[in-house]
Amino acid sequence: MKIAIASGKGGTGKTTVAVNLALSLGEVQLVDCDVEEPNCNLFLRSDLEKYQDVVLPVPRIDGNKCTHCGKCAQFCQYNAIALLSSGPMLFPQLCHGCGGCILVCPESAISEDGRITGVIERGRVYDTINLWQGKLFIGEAMASPVIRQLKSSIGEEGIKIIDSPPGTACPVIASLKDVDYCVLITEPTPFGLNDLVLAVEVVRQMGIPFGVIINRHGMGDDRVDVYCKAENIPVLMRIPDERQIAVLYSEGIPFVTQMTEWKERFRKMFGDIVSQIPVKEGN
Amino acid sequence: MTRQITVISGKGGTGKTTISSAFASLADDVVIADCDVDAADMHLIMAPEILETKDFYGLKVASIDPDLCTACGICERSCRFGAIGPDLHVDVYRCEGCAVCEYVCPSDAITMLDRKAGDVFTSMTRFGPMAHARLGIGEEASGKLVSAVRDAATELALRYNKSTIIIDGPPGTGCSVIASITGVDLVLIVTEPTVSGMHDLERVSEVVEHFRIPALVCINKSNINEQNTNRILDHCRSRQMDVVGILPYDRTPTDAMLVGKTVVEYVDNDFSSGVRAMWEKVQKYLFAE
Ligand code: SF4
Ligand code: SF4
């Protein structure tokens, strides 16, 4: 079973929920798909080992064969090749690795190399958590291939908790693909509500069952509660706006390890989530 | 010359939009650009009156004409993104618009269609003109949309003869962040003294360094963890980034947000005067020769 933890806006407590839920459940796989800012391990401090590089194909142009015709630059939809007077110049960060330039080159001057844009790492912590994380290298633009490779690295069995990137764009879609349930984290503020509404649009469009956790409950007003009620969205949990939680967070300590009564609450919430997942046909 | 400053944070939720909108209300001659296109929130405080809406086209999408298609399957084998299934239908979420299938199709059955991926707005607010956007759900081209918003802001600055563009940037380190900082004069990184805040500050300052843009730092919610605040100060010293503001953990941003105001409009207290003082300093860097 795959459960994604997502939010329209960053900084609402996705990682907090993912880590604390993982620590409350026993044997799980925790998958940090926020590859631009993977933060789960800041709270778990596992000795991660490298599992795989993320390699994207990228063209290599043979200067001896190239006649400067410029067909590759014309074809590339991502402006990854520019034709200068000295010949074609490649901007590898812009390349999507579609292979089109190789097909169009009349001189067969283009071959392909691999380019490492990120890394998949894993570790085991607290005896119960298999932590997986993807990391996009600095200066690299494309998060989705890292997320896709990360998700295909983990096995099918057991409970998988997926910490998604914030927002509603393509990396979020990549992280939500094929999940069984999505928990949306928000704050009881105008920004929180605005971004929740966008996130709800995403999960509805993808047909994923979902519920909401209101974090820092008490800091703003009741507009998120009102919205969820009107839209018939289950509020799975309210985490209060308590200084102790904020301080533990700042130190990188998962709060269930100090405020142990919360483990039971997370377990109960997990039970609620499981009961909301429709049984798949054929299972 | 118009000067441009981008406010970013690496990590979300550190108070980036609180600070960029407060700056907008303090600047004399300003165009505002909300480049956090994925979770655009600034309009909730700016209450923009939309003057013009433009369609934003991202990457194209392949479309197969069933009347011309002979089901040869060459396109399916050529697409590297798995966007064409065995039934020879294009999955629009997977298609990255590379046009390889159009090129290889022997029957000319495939055309690349424009796809609307969002809207770009130009608006007027109580502080000046504003450029902002809405990205369609699950769209790929958020970096391109950021550039479109910045183009619109530059145009507004020319039209209304404004000296400053304040850009509210997106979180993260990927394509939309890169698009929001390339070619600007100054970056302000808003961070917080938490393990995540510090980690993301480090990553995002590497991005800024990679593109050789001068950067300043603001530490928000500083009294949540004084020890970490000191660590950030050390880190900034070693990277030669000046810390221009240290703000307390405070209810003011939330209270101001609830009534749709910037913190400096809302109240005159320690927090808002801290932001004011920071803008004074930032201006000096921004307009330094
Ligand atoms: S492989 Fe595709 S994206 Fe990369 S340079 Fe060639 S045409 Fe452009
Ligand atoms: S345009 Fe490229 S990504 Fe889209 S279906 Fe054709 S080959 Fe695949």
Side-chain angles (χ1 to χ4, degrees):
Chain A
M1 182 181 351
K2 292 192 200 119
I3 297 177
I5 317 292
S7 72
K9 171 172 147 45
T12 52
K14 257 180 324 92
T15 303
T16 303
V17 168
V19 168
N20 284 298
L21 176 62
L23 282 167
S24 305
L25 287 185
E27 187 63 39
V28 292
Q29 313 219 49
L30 176 60
V31 189
D32 195 341
C33 283
D34 191 357
V35 302
E36 291 182 44
E37 309 286 7
N39 283 351
C40 284
N41 197 39
L42 296 175
F43 297 86
L44 295 170
R45 296 170 209 214
S46 156
D47 289 321
L48 293 173
E49 56 171 60
K50 175 163 144 185
Y51 177 71
Q52 261 174 359
D53 286 324
V54 178
V55 184
L56 292 189
V58 69
R60 188 194 3 213
I61 302 169
D62 181 344
N64 293 325
K65 289 190 186 161
C66 173
T67 59
H68 301 193
C69 75
K71 293 215 165 98
C72 54
Q74 237 167 45
F75 181 83
C76 180
Q77 305 292 312
Y78 313 104
N79 301 320
I81 304 180
L83 188 69
L84 309 180
S85 54
S86 56
M89 179 163 159
L90 181 75
F91 296 89
Q93 270 94 347
L94 300 178
C95 172
H96 285 222
C98 72
C101 50
I102 300 168
L103 292 174
V104 301
C105 176
E107 313 294 334
S108 306
I110 309 182
S111 56
E112 221 160 39
D113 270 341
R115 193 170 73 86
I116 302 175
T117 62
V119 64
I120 312 282
E121 296 165 322
R122 64 171 173 184
R124 181 150 177 98
V125 263
Y126 286 90
D127 255 6
T128 54
I129 299 178
N130 280 330
L131 174 65
W132 294 82
Q133 78 167 28
K135 202 193 264 174
L136 179 70
F137 288 159
I138 295 297
E140 291 293 340
M142 277 180 294
S144 300
V146 182
I147 296 171
R148 271 185 236 121
Q149 186 169 331
L150 171 62
K151 284 179 74 183
S152 65
S153 306
I154 38 173
E156 274 305 310
E157 64 308 318
I159 301 169
K160 283 173 284 288
I161 299 172
I162 294 172
D163 189 2
S164 294
T168 55
C170 52
V172 181
I173 306 291
S175 78
L176 292 182
K177 202 139 182 54
D178 304 324
V179 304
D180 300 292
Y181 193 92
C182 180
V183 180
L184 297 174
I185 319 294
T186 189
E187 284 173 2
T189 64
F191 286 8
L193 177 59
N194 183 64
D195 301 338
L196 173 64
V197 173
L198 295 174
V200 165
E201 233 182 281
V202 176
V203 286
R204 282 203 173 135
Q205 202 163 315
M206 295 181 78
I208 301 167
F210 67 100
V212 164
I213 291 183
I214 305 176
N215 193 13
R216 306 197 183 98
H217 192 249
M219 87 183 290
D221 56 16
D222 66 351
R223 65 183 78 205
V224 170
D225 277 290
V226 171
Y227 165 79
C228 288
K229 198 158 179 211
E231 291 283 321
N232 253 319
I233 299 168
V235 175
L236 301 165
M237 179 182 268
R238 293 178 179 82
I239 303 174
D241 183 30
E242 267 175 37
R243 198 177 164 92
Q244 192 193 356
I245 293 178
V247 170
L248 288 170
Y249 174 82
S250 79
E251 287 164 357
I253 299 168
F255 71 86
V256 296
T257 61
Q258 308 289 313
M259 304 158 77
T260 44
E261 69 281 11
W262 278 90
K263 284 197 176 175
E264 189 46 45
R265 293 182 199 158
F266 274 106
R267 276 196 287 271
K268 184 185 165 296
M269 180 185 81
F270 182 73
D272 294 344
I273 288 173
V274 172
S275 72
Q276 288 174 31
I277 298 176
V279 181
K280 278 191 201 133
E281 282 167 55
N283 271 2
Chain B
M1 259 306 272
T2 314
R3 296 293 165 108
Q4 303 190 43
I5 174 172
T6 305
V7 183
I8 52 172
S9 63
K11 176 183 168 359
T14 59
K16 182 172 59 59
T17 305
T18 296
I19 285 162
S20 51
S21 37
F23 282 1
S25 65
L26 288 166
D28 299 327
D29 238 354
V30 69
V31 173
I32 305 146
D34 187 353
C35 286
D36 190 356
V37 293
D38 215 6
D41 283 332
M42 233 182 168
H43 63 277
L44 297 172
I45 292 180
M46 295 295 146
E49 198 183 303
I50 296 173
L51 304 176
E52 201 188 336
T53 305
K54 266 199 207 141
D55 289 346
F56 167 71
Y57 293 97
L59 296 167
K60 295 192 175 191
V61 63
S63 153
I64 303 177
D65 182 343
D67 293 337
L68 294 175
C69 173
T70 61
C72 69
I74 291 179
C75 57
E76 183 201 350
R77 288 194 295 279
S78 305
C79 175
R80 293 224 176 141
F81 307 105
I84 301 179
D87 57 350
L88 302 180
H89 275 291
V90 177
D91 176 343
V92 293
Y93 281 121
R94 289 210 174 167
C95 173
E96 301 197 8
C98 70
V100 162
C101 53
E102 181 190 41
Y103 179 79
V104 297
C105 176
S107 315
D108 281 335
I110 303 183
T111 7
M112 300 305 296
L113 302 179
D114 278 330
R115 109 157 135 198
K116 189 180 164 188
D119 296 291
V120 178
F121 310 107
T122 46
S123 301
M124 194 46 87
T125 76
R126 61 191 183 283
F127 308 118
M130 171 169 173
H132 48 128
R134 193 195 54 81
L135 181 68
I137 294 301
E139 289 294 344
E140 160 101 30
S142 51
K144 262 179 122 180
L145 182 53
V146 166
S147 307
V149 172
R150 287 189 55 194
D151 289 346
T154 309
E155 215 174 275
L156 284 169
L158 275 176
R159 194 188 318 161
Y160 293 95
N161 198 15
K162 300 288 184 189
S163 62
T164 314
I165 299 177
I166 296 178
I167 299 166
D168 188 22
T173 58
C175 70
S176 42
V177 176
I178 295 172
S180 78
I181 61 171
T182 43
V184 303
D185 301 285
L186 191 63
V187 161
L188 175 69
I189 306 172
V190 182
T191 186
E192 60 181 34
T194 63
V195 287
S196 310
M198 293 190 295
H199 174 257
D200 297 352
L201 168 65
E202 221 168 294
R203 277 177 63 83
V204 86
S205 45
E206 273 176 56
V207 177
V208 172
E209 214 165 78
H210 185 96
F211 292 96
R212 298 205 175 85
I213 304 165
L216 305 172
V217 172
C218 163
I219 308 174
N220 195 11
K221 309 178 195 176
S222 60
N223 51 343
I224 259 288
N225 192 322
E226 304 283 357
Q227 229 180 346
N228 284 343
T229 295
N230 287 328
R231 289 199 187 109
I232 295 175
L233 287 170
D234 288 342
H235 169 85
C236 292
R237 218 167 289 134
S238 71
R239 282 206 179 251
Q240 296 178 341
M241 297 187 295
D242 290 344
V243 176
V244 287
I246 299 180
L247 300 170
Y249 185 62
D250 196 289
R251 279 201 57 85
T252 308
T254 310
D255 291 339
M257 189 199 299
L258 288 172
V259 293
K261 288 186 171 167
T262 72
V263 287
V264 291
E265 286 178 291
Y266 176 67
V267 66
D268 210 350
N269 64 5
D270 282 358
F271 190 92
S272 57
S273 53
V275 175
R276 241 178 238 281
M278 181 160 64
W279 173 241
E280 289 303 317
K281 285 189 207 163
V282 167
Q283 261 181 308
K284 290 212 178 87
Y285 287 90
L286 191 57
F287 290 97
E289 280 322 310

